[in-house]
Structure formats: C-alpha cells, structure tokens
Amino acid sequence: MKISSFLPLAVFGLKTILFKKSDPILGTIIVTDRCNLHCKHCSVNNITSVLYPYAQIRREMEQLYSMGIRILFFCGGETFLWRDGDITLRDLVIEAKRMGFLIVNVVTNGTFPLDLPEADLILLSLDGDRERHNAVRGDTYDLIMENIKNASSDNICFYMAINQINKDAVRHVCRTARDTKNVRAVSFNFHTPYPDTRELALSREEKASCCRVIEEMMEEGVPVFNLKSAFPYLIDGSFPTPCRQCVVMENGTLSTCGRCISVPDLCSQCGYFFVAEYTRIFQGKPRIVLDMLKTYLKYI
C-alpha cells in the first residue's frame, strides 16, 4: 500500500477509535445482480438481472465519496458482465481512482478474462479443489485457473466462502494461492446462511477447525489476507453487527454493512471475516489493529 493511501486511512482509524465515531470508510457498489453462474450457496443472483446504467453508478460513487468512503468495492452478480455501451468495468475502476478512492477492489467469479491491472485487488471466488469448487459453482474450475494464468497483473486474491461442501478444502485453496502465478493472497469467509441455504452453515466446532487449518497455513508461509487475532470472535460470533464502518449501495438504496441486513436474524449468523475484523479494529483492540497494519501493508 502506498504511504499516500495508508496515512488517510490511519487517521480515519484513529479518529474512529478515539472519538468512538461510526462513520463509514468502506463502500460496495452492486453494479448488477446478473450472473452467469447459479452457485449453491448464493441467494442474491439474477433477481432482476439489470445492468445498472453508468450515470447511476457514477452518482453512487460520488455519494459514497462525499460520505467519506475511501475503500471501494465493485460487486455483482458477476461484475465483468457489466457494461453500458462502450463503458466497461475497467472504466469504472479508472474513474473511481480518478475520483479519489484510495483502494478500489473488484469481486468476480473468475470466469471472464482478468485484464484489470488498475484494481488494487481482484477478489476471485475459488471454493475448493476442482471437485468441491465445481460442486458449488458448476464446471468452472479449469476455466478459472486458465484465466488466472493469463491475467494481466498479479493483483488476484482468492476469495473462499467456507461451507459444508468445501470445508475440507481450505488447506488446498491456501496452498494453491501460495503456488499460483498472479495470485497475491487468499481471503476467507464463513457461509452466511440465507433462509434457503441454511444447510450449508458451519457449526462452532467446524469454524474452529477451519481456523486452526488457516493458522497452520499461515505458519507455512501461505499469504492469508485475514487477521488471525479476529478468529476467536468469528468462531464464537462474539462481534457486534452490523458493521457501521461499511455500507452497500444497490440501485440507489444504501444499506449499512451489507444487503443481508434486511433478512431477519441473519446478522446474528454473520460469517464475514471483515465484519469481525473491522468492528474489533474500530473498538481499538490493540492486537487486531497491529495485525491489520501488518497484513494490509503486505498485500494491498
């Protein structure tokens, strides 16, 4: 991370901790819910299949920036499906950087060519070894690995949602991240169980087992873009939700933390690692703050 990006984020963190503020710093814009896949763990794809127009997305970017957001994610659906005439996802990333966002990341399923060097990170969903990934996402593993091989930059970070199907493939994904060209790190979440996917949720014991594996992989030198000091809170679910420092914008509607906030009782079952990490960071937990500094400076 450039020092010019780090310093404003550090100042924001200090103000939040010292003055117990709840202003947001991380924002996500959903550019579409259209997706070319129908993954078993996903409850938010192809509900409208609308590609939101560029003018609307740019207004949303301006709104988030005016709120003080400086870390921006573009999400779907599948983000690489988005376009408005000749304007593509790449143009959105370039415009966000020009607007002043310090970190601009993109989330993708990896089934489209990965030519996006302007993004700080491309968070690419890899959900296990070939067998388990394909069980979750359809026959896409080999295509994704070929797209990674041919990517134009080394800004890819695997993004794995751990569930009942792939919980035994954490070690494999870690080592694949370490050994694959163009992959910078791997980031994990636990499955957050929407009502139609409850059977994929992990028990406390299963979460603890997965965290032990991730810790072992860290000790092996695997580049993991998560904070080990936050694992106990993730296992126990003992972190406050929603995360007030994060917002999501979808079709003009602003939600605190994520679009799942509208689902009754889902916040209490949150599996998002970043929520546990950010909420505890901004409570001033020293170990997590130091862990975050070390991790973010290394991988972004």
Side-chain angles (χ1 to χ4, degrees):
M1 184 188 296
K2 295 178 181 178
I3 193 70
S4 59
S5 298
F6 171 74
L7 287 177
L9 298 177
V11 170
F12 173 90
L14 285 172
K15 286 182 177 178
T16 300
I17 293 168
L18 293 175
F19 301 110
K20 301 186 185 303
K21 296 168 68 70
S22 58
D23 297 337
I25 187 66
L26 186 152
T28 296
I29 293 179
I30 309 298
V31 297
T32 181
D33 71 3
R34 183 180 300 178
C35 191
N36 58 318
L37 303 182
H38 297 276
C39 304
K40 288 186 178 178
H41 65 294
C42 182
S43 301
V44 295
N45 67 305
N46 296 308
I47 296 171
T48 68
S49 290
V50 173
L51 303 176
Y52 300 123
Y54 167 73
Q56 174 181 318
I57 292 173
R58 196 181 191 287
R59 286 195 301 271
E60 293 171 351
M61 292 163 61
E62 291 173 340
Q63 180 179 343
L64 293 183
Y65 190 83
S66 70
M67 292 169 58
I69 302 292
R70 293 297 179 267
I71 304 172
L72 183 66
F73 283 71
F74 290 113
C75 289
E78 171 45 44
T79 50
F80 278 91
L81 283 172
W82 184 87
R83 67 183 309 115
D84 187 346
D86 294 331
I87 304 172
T88 67
L89 177 64
R90 188 174 195 172
D91 296 307
L92 293 182
V93 172
I94 293 170
E95 181 65 19
K97 287 284 190 175
R98 187 182 297 125
M99 196 175 290
F101 290 98
L102 302 175
I103 298 172
V104 181
N105 299 334
V106 168
V107 180
T108 178
N109 61 33
T111 59
F112 292 87
L114 301 168
D115 181 21
L116 196 55
E118 295 84 1
D120 290 284
L121 286 178
I122 298 174
L123 292 153
L124 184 150
S125 297
L126 193 76
D127 282 321
D129 53 20
R130 180 182 287 102
E131 178 184 359
R132 292 177 179 87
H133 172 92
N134 287 347
V136 173
R137 293 183 172 269
D139 187 12
T140 58
Y141 186 90
D142 291 337
L143 172 61
I144 290 168
M145 297 307 293
E146 185 67 18
N147 285 340
I148 293 169
K149 176 183 174 182
N150 296 324
S152 60
S153 184
D154 65 348
N155 57 352
I156 296 167
C157 178
F158 286 157
Y159 194 50
M160 181 179 181
I162 309 173
N163 57 45
Q164 288 294 342
I165 297 171
N166 62 17
K167 63 187 178 184
D168 295 323
V170 170
R171 186 174 278 104
H172 176 89
V173 172
C174 283
R175 289 175 175 163
T176 302
R178 181 191 62 194
D179 299 337
T180 302
K181 175 188 173 185
N182 293 327
V183 177
R184 191 177 298 176
V186 57
S187 179
F188 294 98
N189 288 313
F190 292 132
H191 177 66
T192 297
Y194 280 76
D196 59 332
T197 63
R198 288 190 183 120
E199 73 281 0
L200 295 177
L202 302 180
S203 67
R204 182 192 181 282
E205 291 72 23
E206 288 167 330
K207 290 179 181 179
S209 176
C210 289
C211 285
R212 285 194 296 270
V213 171
I214 297 171
E215 289 183 25
E216 290 172 12
M217 293 295 94
M218 288 176 167
E219 292 169 4
E220 274 192 20
V222 168
V224 177
F225 190 48
N226 293 114
L227 310 184
K228 181 169 66 173
S229 51
F231 288 179
Y233 305 109
L234 280 154
I235 293 166
D236 292 337
S238 56
F239 54 94
T241 56
C243 178
R244 302 291 175 184
Q245 285 76 30
C246 305
V247 297
V248 170
M249 177 75 78
E250 182 174 14
N251 195 22
T253 298
L254 188 68
S255 302
T256 299
C257 196
R259 49 190 167 184
C260 51
I261 194 171
S262 61
V263 181
D265 301 322
L266 195 56
C267 266
S268 64
Q269 303 172 73
C270 179
Y272 287 103
F273 279 42
F274 81 88
V275 175
E277 293 166 354
Y278 271 51
T279 52
R280 291 307 188 185
I281 285 167
F282 292 124
Q283 286 181 334
K285 301 292 183 182
R287 285 185 60 204
I288 301 183
V289 171
L290 292 173
D291 204 2
M292 181 272 292
L293 291 173
K294 179 178 68 174
T295 302
Y296 276 49
L297 288 171
K298 188 173 183 179
Y299 297 125
I300 298 182

